[in-house]
Amino acid sequence: MSRQMTGAEMIVEALKDQGVETIFGYPGGAVLPIYDALFHQNKVHHVLVRHEQGAGHAAEGYARSTGKVGVLLVTSGPGATNAVTALTDALMDSIPIVCISGQVPTHLIGSDAFQECDTVGITRHCTKHNYLVKRIEDLPRILHEAFYVAAAGRPGPVVIDVPKDVQFAVGTYSAPRGIHHKTYQPKLKGDRDKIRQAVAMMAAAKKPVFYTGGGVINSGPAASHLLRELVQLTGFPITSTLMGLGAYPAPDPQWLGMLGMHGAYEANNAMHDCDLMIAVGARFDDRITGRLDAFSPNSKKIHIDIDPSSINKNVKVDLGIVGDCAHVLEDMVTLWRSGAHEQDKKAHESWWKKIDGWRARNSLAFKPSTETIKPQYAIQRLYELTKDRKTYITTEVGQHQMWAAQHYYFTEPNRWMTSGGLGTMGYGLPAAIGAQMAHRDALVIDIAGEASILMNIQELSTAVQFRCPVKIFILNNEYMGMVRQWQELLHGGRYSQSYSEALPDFVKLAEAYGAHGIRCSDPAKLDDAIKEMIDHPGVVIFDCRVDKAENCLPMIPSGKAHNEMILPDEDDDIGSVIDDKGKMLV
Amino acid sequence: MNAPASPPSPYSSAIGKSNVESHTLSVLVDNEPGVLARVVGLFSGRGYNIESLTVAEVAHGEHLSRITIVTTGTPEVIEQISHQLERIVPIHKVTDLTVGGKFIQRELAMVKVAGKGESRVETLRLAEAFRAKVIDATTESFVFELTGSTTKIDDFVELMRPLGLVEVSRTGVAAISRGPERI
Ligand SMILES: Cc1ncc(C[n+]2csc(CCOP(=O)(O)OP(=O)(O)O)c2C)c(N)n1
Ligand SMILES: [Mg+2]
């Protein structure tokens, strides 16, 4: 149906037609017409953030927890530049978001007008695609196309920059029609022959391992179901990246835990020693592979990914299958079921035996204490006390993030939101707000560090305003713990600028914003304090005072291989494990 | 926190570093604002080389432009470049002409040479041998127009250097596959 309306009205109309119920934004001169159009309706709910970066991460949290496209609305100039970190974050972690930004009117573009910036120029490198809309005639098409591009194939952020005169201009709006993009048509189905070949390789494997990533989550819940089915059918062990947690249930015995720099010993050793690696929706990132020339030296590698450029980018594989995880996994399950596979039972038994040996090293162990709260213990208790609820976890970045990934057991996809690729401190609180806006009755917890939380603390005000009862669980170690740990590793324990000095009183801070504050430093009182947090109906900041000196282990030191991990009981002299080459790395 | 160029990073690709090749890529794009910036930005952002880049609209009605890029890298890097280019939304098609086999590359150059007396005769003699056309002449200078492969033009320019070469303007490489097929 076509109708005459202004550009601003088209934007709101397109949001409705795309099924968007909630957007996150912040007004300003260049988007006032859009805010006026929002004022005249009540279908699209607008959440007023306190900083545009917050809007971006909230849109990410919304997208990641629902599988839908998240939307943010920002003004020109500083509004757009403030969104850049969140856009980059979404690009790195393949999160579908659409950012609508205001721009100065077309006749002023290029004149260094007030609050003008080259938004498409700045965001070209941190978006999947972006548009500057110069004519009202193009606006409806671009709006619908943006949603398609954000969600199709490997998802990512898309910016639509709309000059103010285009928002005022009147034109003909048409609803989205069947999606056919003239150039962008990602391949969903995997090549049948290659899948057949993969299944044959899997049937013949003696020491196989599944290595799965965020692509499985992005592919939708069906992919996770099919993955579970395939893993059960084959009996293979499975590990996953930080971004892929929840696709396979962590309590299951075939689950080896997360892999990579702070992954489990059994997961990394299985990757190193396997004879067949089946990578599904994962991208062989440097946090995962460690030293490349020693990465899983004796294995054949199958790589399933929707993005052809991910295949053979960092690691050369033997069989690359381009396609959507769910589609390819479905074909694999069907093929596996239809064939009678003579698996080498003996070999599998001894492979599992080897894995059990690594497991017995208990690499996530820590020294318990009755004096101080160990951060790992805090996460374990948080898990135990929340696992039977519908719980969504977000994190900030640092040690607490890794402890959350190690010790919180995820059983469902879309329940875990963290900044993996970019490692953005300040992600967790706005992402939690985004997730909570989409799941009003769920328990949403931001597992935070005392340093990270201050990066977007202003969003507390958003949470309170919109009755978004997120729980901020701060593992307060009074340090930028991850920085301190690396300073121990690389710089002789010289803690240059990594002590969190002059911290606010987090309980009072919560109260100042109209939220509830809880503090706990006694392990014996921790359970009751966590229960108080869960039971409180509103926003909570939980200042959990933890051991200040704890390091996050196990760890593959930079520049080392999977089988060269530092284990928790070998960390006496972590200052001497990294060689000069490794010191160059991040 | 960038690692310096050497020693090589253990995180960087360990696969074949020595066999660097030159490849010519033909890229069909929607002729829309910013598309060239996307392509160039990809090369600079990911540290790929551009030896030559040319672009012009080839189908006006369809708003199609053809970009020809000559780049160097290992076969793995070249494959990455193609795949990365394919991810750019307004790109229709990326073809590696070098992998495809038979193709023709041409460049056009305008070469200005100044001189008097004996050297002018020698200049003209060589120009004729290269089938360069005189498109401007004064009593003390010539401008030659020359088309051919990159090496042919390089050779001509080198020969002109001692004869009074003033300046050179080159278009960069355009390329097309041999035979009846389109890319
Ligand atoms: C925006 C941003 N700036 C800097 C960093 C580098 N960085 C990584 S972890 C970290 C310290 C985080 O401290 P905290 O939030 O207290 O977490 P902890 O490691 O103590 O658990 C820093 C500064 C980052 N990841 N993001
Ligand atoms: Mg800290």
Side-chain angles (χ1 to χ4, degrees):
Chain A
M1 205 180 64
S2 309
R3 272 179 299 146
Q4 293 288 109
M5 60 181 79
T6 66
E9 288 165 343
M10 283 183 193
I11 290 169
V12 176
E13 217 43 43
L15 293 176
K16 289 186 204 162
D17 283 343
Q18 292 292 340
V20 177
E21 283 156 5
T22 306
I23 67 171
F24 305 88
Y26 206 95
V31 282
L32 284 180
I34 305 172
Y35 273 86
D36 199 45
L38 284 169
F39 188 82
H40 286 106
Q41 55 85 54
N42 53 20
K43 277 227 173 101
V44 180
H45 181 51
H46 179 275
V47 176
L48 178 69
V49 294
R50 300 302 190 263
H51 184 293
E52 290 84 353
Q53 183 189 355
H57 295 318
E60 287 187 90
Y62 183 91
R64 192 79 175 163
S65 67
T66 59
K68 300 202 289 190
V69 176
V71 178
L72 64 150
L73 172 59
V74 302
T75 194
S76 66
T81 56
N82 272 351
V84 163
T85 299
L87 292 168
T88 312
D89 193 89
L91 183 70
M92 292 290 272
D93 285 344
S94 308
I95 311 296
I97 58 173
V98 167
C99 170
I100 298 166
S101 55
Q103 181 56 279
V104 300
T106 43
H107 66 273
L108 288 182
I109 290 178
S111 70
D112 298 326
F114 177 61
Q115 293 195 330
E116 179 187 1
C117 74
D118 178 6
T119 301
V120 283
I122 290 169
T123 61
R124 192 171 290 132
H125 300 270
C126 61
T127 53
K128 184 174 171 187
H129 193 49
N130 63 14
Y131 304 87
L132 170 62
V133 187
K134 286 198 171 148
R135 307 178 324 145
I136 185 75
E137 292 80 4
D138 296 331
L139 184 59
R141 173 186 60 79
I142 288 175
L143 284 164
H144 300 314
E145 197 179 297
F147 277 85
Y148 166 73
V149 170
R154 180 175 175 176
V158 175
V159 165
I160 314 173
D161 199 28
V162 192
K164 199 168 177 181
D165 54 329
V166 176
Q167 297 172 32
F168 275 122
V170 174
T172 312
Y173 174 77
S174 43
R177 268 160 292 164
I179 26 170
H180 178 79
H181 194 274
K182 62 176 166 176
T183 52
Y184 189 66
Q185 295 143 12
K187 188 166 165 254
L188 297 177
K189 284 293 267 181
D191 183 298
R192 245 337 236 212
D193 287 338
K194 287 189 172 175
I195 296 175
R196 200 164 285 131
Q197 213 178 316
V199 168
M201 287 162 81
M202 284 159 63
K206 293 186 193 319
K207 298 187 286 177
V209 66
F210 278 103
Y211 148 50
T212 65
V216 180
I217 312 277
N218 276 336
S219 179
S224 294
H225 285 295
L226 289 158
L227 176 71
R228 291 164 191 217
E229 201 177 338
L230 189 62
V231 172
Q232 304 284 322
L233 277 173
T234 55
F236 294 174
I238 172 168
T239 177
S240 143
T241 67
L242 182 72
M243 296 308 293
L245 297 179
Y248 194 84
D252 187 88
Q254 275 166 262
W255 171 251
L256 304 184
M258 180 176 76
L259 82 159
M261 187 172 266
H262 292 290
Y265 187 65
E266 54 270 39
N268 285 333
N269 274 294
M271 288 287 281
H272 189 269
D273 282 12
C274 67
D275 72 344
L276 180 71
M277 179 186 301
I278 308 128
V280 191
R283 61 184 176 90
F284 295 87
D285 165 81
D286 58 60
R287 298 292 99 158
I288 294 306
T289 60
R291 188 173 149 180
L292 265 180
D293 58 7
F295 174 69
S296 194
N298 302 313
S299 62
K300 292 246 182 275
K301 298 172 187 76
I302 299 170
H303 188 186
I304 301 161
D305 206 291
I306 198 155
D307 177 4
S309 77
S310 278
I311 295 171
N312 292 328
K313 181 173 69 181
N314 299 332
V315 170
K316 186 130 180 78
V317 298
D318 301 274
L319 182 64
I321 302 174
V322 176
D324 171 57
C325 292
H327 284 81
V328 177
L329 287 170
E330 186 177 19
D331 286 348
M332 281 184 152
V333 167
T334 316
L335 274 171
W336 186 277
R337 281 191 187 285
S338 69
H341 305 292
E342 284 182 26
Q343 286 184 275
D344 188 340
K345 289 266 154 59
K346 263 240 167 72
H348 284 203
E349 253 165 50
S350 69
W351 179 225
W352 273 109
K353 221 176 187 167
K354 212 164 176 193
I355 290 170
D356 288 339
W358 292 320
R359 255 186 191 154
R361 284 296 272 113
N362 207 2
S363 66
L364 300 184
F366 55 94
K367 291 185 196 94
S369 165
T370 50
E371 306 284 298
T372 59
I373 300 176
K374 289 285 180 170
Q376 302 93 326
Y377 175 74
I379 303 286
Q380 285 179 343
R381 294 317 303 156
L382 190 68
Y383 168 65
E384 289 299 334
L385 296 167
T386 59
K387 67 178 176 187
D388 297 325
R389 294 166 180 266
K390 192 178 169 200
T391 307
Y392 291 79
I393 302 286
T394 71
T395 75
E396 307 290 336
V397 171
Q399 291 180 322
H400 63 276
Q401 176 190 30
M402 293 299 124
W403 282 318
Q406 292 173 338
H407 296 280
Y408 200 101
Y409 277 20
F410 293 92
T411 52
E412 297 294 329
N414 304 97
R415 297 293 184 87
W416 161 247
M417 280 141 281
T418 194
S419 172
L422 196 63
T424 312
M425 292 169 71
Y427 168 89
L429 173 55
I433 293 171
Q436 184 87 75
M437 288 311 298
H439 307 274
R440 299 302 310 218
D441 56 344
L443 176 63
V444 182
I445 305 171
D446 171 25
I447 296 177
E450 82 295 335
S452 294
I453 193 63
L454 291 178
M455 285 222 176
N456 272 323
I457 192 69
Q458 76 286 347
E459 298 308 329
L460 206 50
S461 187
T462 309
V464 171
Q465 181 188 342
F466 291 89
R467 302 187 200 293
C468 218
V470 296
K471 318 298 180 200
I472 303 163
F473 189 75
I474 305 176
L475 294 182
N476 185 348
N477 54 7
E478 288 179 29
Y479 276 99
M480 298 174 193
M482 194 55 97
V483 174
R484 194 211 58 220
Q485 178 166 342
W486 279 65
Q487 287 171 332
E488 283 175 29
L489 278 162
L490 302 177
H491 300 286
R494 292 180 294 280
Y495 298 153
S496 178
Q497 304 296 320
S498 57
Y499 182 65
S500 291
E501 192 113 21
L503 280 177
D505 176 330
F506 283 108
V507 172
K508 282 191 186 153
L509 184 78
E511 285 160 6
Y513 275 101
H516 179 54
I518 300 172
R519 177 170 297 122
C520 183
S521 52
D522 179 356
K525 294 187 182 140
L526 183 61
D527 273 26
D528 283 343
I530 292 176
K531 282 182 203 150
E532 182 192 340
M533 173 184 86
I534 297 168
D535 292 338
H536 183 81
V539 181
V540 178
I541 295 188
F542 190 123
D543 183 12
C544 187
R545 297 299 185 93
V546 298
D547 191 330
K548 299 181 182 42
E550 195 73 13
N551 278 332
C552 187
L553 294 164
M555 179 177 190
I556 306 178
S558 53
K560 300 272 182 186
H562 274 174
N563 59 352
E564 298 177 291
M565 295 196 83
I566 314 176
L567 291 169
D569 49 4
E570 304 168 337
D571 72 333
D572 300 338
D573 183 21
I574 66 170
S576 61
V577 290
I578 297 186
D579 56 20
D580 286 348
K581 261 191 189 174
K583 284 184 184 172
M584 303 279 193
L585 302 169
V586 288
Chain B
M1 293 200 205
N2 281 325
S6 62
S9 162
Y11 290 158
S12 72
S13 179
I15 34 188
K17 284 200 172 73
S18 47
N19 46 335
V20 171
E21 300 171 357
S22 171
H23 282 239
T24 303
L25 309 178
S26 258
V27 187
L28 278 184
V29 301
D30 258 348
N31 186 14
E32 62 174 44
V35 67
L36 187 60
R38 288 180 209 283
V39 171
V40 174
L42 170 72
F43 276 76
S44 64
R46 292 191 182 263
Y48 305 140
N49 300 315
I50 300 182
E51 306 270 292
S52 163
L53 185 146
T54 60
V55 55
E57 196 167 70
V58 288
H60 191 61
E62 300 152 70
H63 289 288
L64 272 187
S65 286
R66 182 165 174 146
I67 302 177
T68 305
I69 306 168
V70 182
T71 182
T72 54
T74 61
E76 291 81 10
V77 167
I78 305 277
E79 192 191 315
Q80 256 301 297
I81 293 174
S82 294
H83 287 316
Q84 291 292 350
L85 283 168
E86 280 161 359
R87 292 174 71 188
I88 297 177
V89 170
I91 285 190
H92 285 261
K93 196 162 187 206
V94 180
T95 308
D96 186 334
L97 292 171
T98 307
V99 165
K102 295 192 166 128
F103 69 102
I104 309 156
Q105 326 200 73
R106 287 292 180 268
E107 240 191 291
L108 183 145
M110 287 181 270
V111 182
K112 185 177 286 184
V113 185
K116 284 186 170 152
E118 261 311 287
S119 78
R120 276 173 74 84
V121 183
E122 179 66 0
T123 302
L124 277 177
R125 205 181 55 76
L126 285 168
E128 204 171 323
F130 275 81
R131 292 199 212 147
K133 254 197 323 200
V134 177
I135 53 173
D136 180 71
T138 68
T139 51
E140 53 207 302
S141 70
F142 293 115
V143 176
F144 297 108
E145 176 195 314
L146 174 68
T147 55
S149 68
T150 299
T151 40
K152 174 177 165 183
I153 290 167
D154 288 346
D155 289 349
F156 183 71
V157 169
E158 276 321 302
L159 285 171
M160 289 301 117
R161 205 173 289 285
L163 295 170
L165 180 73
V166 178
E167 59 176 348
V168 184
S169 177
R170 297 168 70 149
T171 57
V173 170
I176 204 159
S177 62
R178 289 184 188 270
E181 290 83 24
R182 66 189 294 174
I183 60 165

